[in-house]
Amino acid sequence: MDTSSLLKTCGLPALWLLLLLSPAVFASYSIGVGIADSTGPTAEIAFMGYAKLDQKGSGLHLRTYARAFIIDDGTERFVFVSVDCGMIGNDIRQEVLRKLRGQFGDTYTEKNVMISGTHTHSSPGGFMLDMLFDLTAFGFMRETFNAIVHGITKSIERAHEAVVPGRIFIAHGQVLGVNINRSPQAYLNNPKSERDKYEHDVDKALTQIQFIGADDKPLGVINWFAVHPTSMNNTNHLVSSDNVGYASILFEKMMNNNATIGKGPFVAAFASSNLGDVSPNTRGPKCEFSGQNCSDQYTCPGKNEMCFASGPGKDMFDSTSIIAHKLYQESAKLWQNGETTEIVGPVRVVHRYVNMPEQSAEFYNETTGHVEEVHGCVPAMGYSFAAGTTDGPGSFAFEQGTTTSNPLWNAVRNLVAKPTAEDIRCQGAKPILLATGRIKLPYQWQPKIVSTQVAVIGNVVVAGVPGEFTTMSGRRLREAIKKVMNDTLNSETSVIVAGLCNTYSDYITTPEEYQIQRYEGASTIYGPHTLTIYLKQYQELMQAAVQRKELLPGPQPPELLHSNLISLVPPVLYDTPKWGRNFGDIIQQSRQVVWPGETITATFVAGHPRNNLMTDNTFLTVERLGDDEVWIPIATDADWETKFQWTRTSVILGSSEVTITWEIPQDITPGEYRIRHNGYYRYILGGVYPYYGTSDPFRVEVPIHNIRRHRYYG
């Protein structure tokens, strides 16, 4: 039977199956990869993630990047972008699409572009526009917003320009010792019969998609693994892409022959998945001062003693490196020696906006043995939300697991917005601390309309979810999607949960986990059956994808960018150097002879880093003197070994210093080196001007046995 007869007889699902099973019919894709700098302001802007007002940036540890991947089967195109940022808001995505529309027309739309945040908690905030998320960053921050939009847009542009014929492969691995469940009590409230299906209470699987050119040239890779990028804790003040960002850097340096970070042709992403209840702090929660185990409510007996988790390293930098290297090592092993399966088949992308409080679904209640109709709720945050997590404890005396309200806090809550009786009933076990869906001023606090999206590439499904699914929520979503695919096509399906895509609607727990009201349950904003509704929605998306049905786009979410946005972050007014100094002057420098493994520092007279974000550039370079007496850059502010720390020495005078540190690698080439600082200052009478400064040269000596070892191994 020919293809046209099969289509007439059996419909589109049969055609899809034919394409899946016939590589000769479908041999290759068009593939493009691109990377761009998305680093926002590195100084005086509060970070997005831990909600600590005093956690403001004062420098740079690792630059943040947007990494884009284009897959095109000749009839349909899909774009996946992984961004080193806390999450993605609707206005970020809409602004990116507006910029792309100006260049490429209708090639890139909200239907086929999926943007996922890695969820690092160490990048600048103020870009979400939903008031709750920007509140602790002192409102909207245009510099952060523009930097993220620029990075995403530029990465897609570069991927578009780099599209070539190619093939796609999928591989699966396992990474142990990098993640634990930070809410085990909630997880244990899931049915035992369900828990018994799984060896661990967090997902240990790493899923890798590999992109290879038709000429066998490596193009890029995406790895999905469930872990919070919270190895850098809430005492950190340096912008960082955290563990998954560093893993990306390690993979790219391997594939790009140690090219400057962000400049090589090969692009490697470590993207977020169902990380909602998953922590990288593998030592688990301990009391801050005593080191004793925390209580069941994650509190400590000492006055003002926090319960927090850490590890596995001696400090947060060491922990970040350990987690990153374990992720990188498994992904590199899969790339080099893993068993891969080629992905063949058509591309289909389906997208729909959903007004969550207006949704209903059917839920089988195991307690009663009946199927019930359940509904979404108007957004609200519970008491345990204010308690924070063991990755970053909250303020005041709030505790996780709180299921009863407090009259005093209710009175304070009601001054802002009072929940209705229906809100209280709908949210069930959650006592409402903030009725965010009822707050109108100054503008929307949390979204009611979310983006839902699936991309099907052959028999691989990428489900872009608008929030943080917990471990079991992600497992249920994968099973629900597999059921649709396997029932329709009778083929083995790989389902990837891509977290924090397109819209941020906080957490998604299972209904059973919700009852325990840990931080994740208190932050499941649409009520106890948020997941139940999402399972129904994503099954409908999958049915539409397989059957090639067009869905209505759903209600358009409000765009807030042109509202009267509030920002309480003061601008940079002017810079002045210290008396008798010029910008770029060296103030202090370490000794003149150093060895591998040691750290050298240099302090310079500086301008404010917000005068120029140095996008696709660097605030510093470490330079080696070449044989031709030319200084050669060997490291930038995007490298792990460097740190850029800014200090305001006089607010009134506008004076600043920057201290640059370089941890000398063990495999360093001996020779003469120097540190260069690049910056901009704002003149008191107007204008922003560049400057630079260099340290005195210093010599890196290498022990004789190191030189012999390098020679022996070539």
Side-chain angles (χ1 to χ4, degrees), residues 82-202:
S82 179
V83 193
D84 292 325
C85 67
M87 61 279 287
I88 295 298
N90 177 65
D91 284 86
I92 288 272
R93 185 166 178 247
Q94 293 302 326
E95 188 69 7
V96 168
L97 293 175
R98 269 191 287 271
K99 290 181 178 295
L100 293 173
R101 197 177 303 124
Q103 296 186 68
F104 307 113
D106 293 332
T107 302
Y108 302 107
T109 67
E110 57 194 12
K111 176 188 172 183
N112 67 357
V113 175
M114 183 185 292
I115 308 174
S116 171
T118 63
H119 203 40
T120 174
H121 284 38
S122 292
S123 62
F127 60 89
M128 286 296 293
L129 284 82
D130 292 311
M131 190 62 195
L132 180 67
F133 308 128
D134 286 350
L135 193 62
T136 53
F138 301 91
F140 176 65
M141 190 62 206
R142 172 65 73 169
E143 294 164 77
T144 308
F145 182 90
N146 286 349
I148 295 173
V149 168
H150 166 84
I152 298 169
T153 306
K154 184 61 69 174
S155 71
I156 296 174
E157 290 173 1
R158 289 172 178 169
H160 180 95
E161 293 163 359
V163 167
V164 294
R167 302 164 70 190
I168 308 174
F169 298 83
I170 189 168
H172 302 278
Q174 186 181 63
V175 190
L176 301 177
V178 302
N179 59 356
I180 62 171
N181 195 306
R182 70 185 188 190
S183 291
Q185 301 97 325
Y187 180 87
L188 287 171
N189 207 44
N190 291 308
K192 184 177 185 302
S193 58
E194 182 179 33
R195 289 185 279 114
D196 287 346
K197 297 176 184 177
Y198 305 98
E199 182 180 359
H200 303 284
D201 62 0
V202 292

Side-chain angles (χ1 to χ4, degrees), residues 87-88 128 130 133 356 379 381 446-451 465-469 500-508 523-526 530 534:
M87 61 279 287
I88 295 298
M128 286 296 293
D130 292 311
F133 308 128
M356 288 296 289
M381 302 294 276
Q446 283 182 304
K448 295 178 181 176
I449 299 172
V450 301
S451 162
V465 298
E468 303 177 57
F469 275 55
L500 300 112
C501 288
N502 304 337
T503 314
Y504 184 65
S505 60
D506 280 90
Y507 285 76
I508 299 92
S523 304
T524 297
I525 65 177
Y526 305 120
T530 301
Y534 276 130

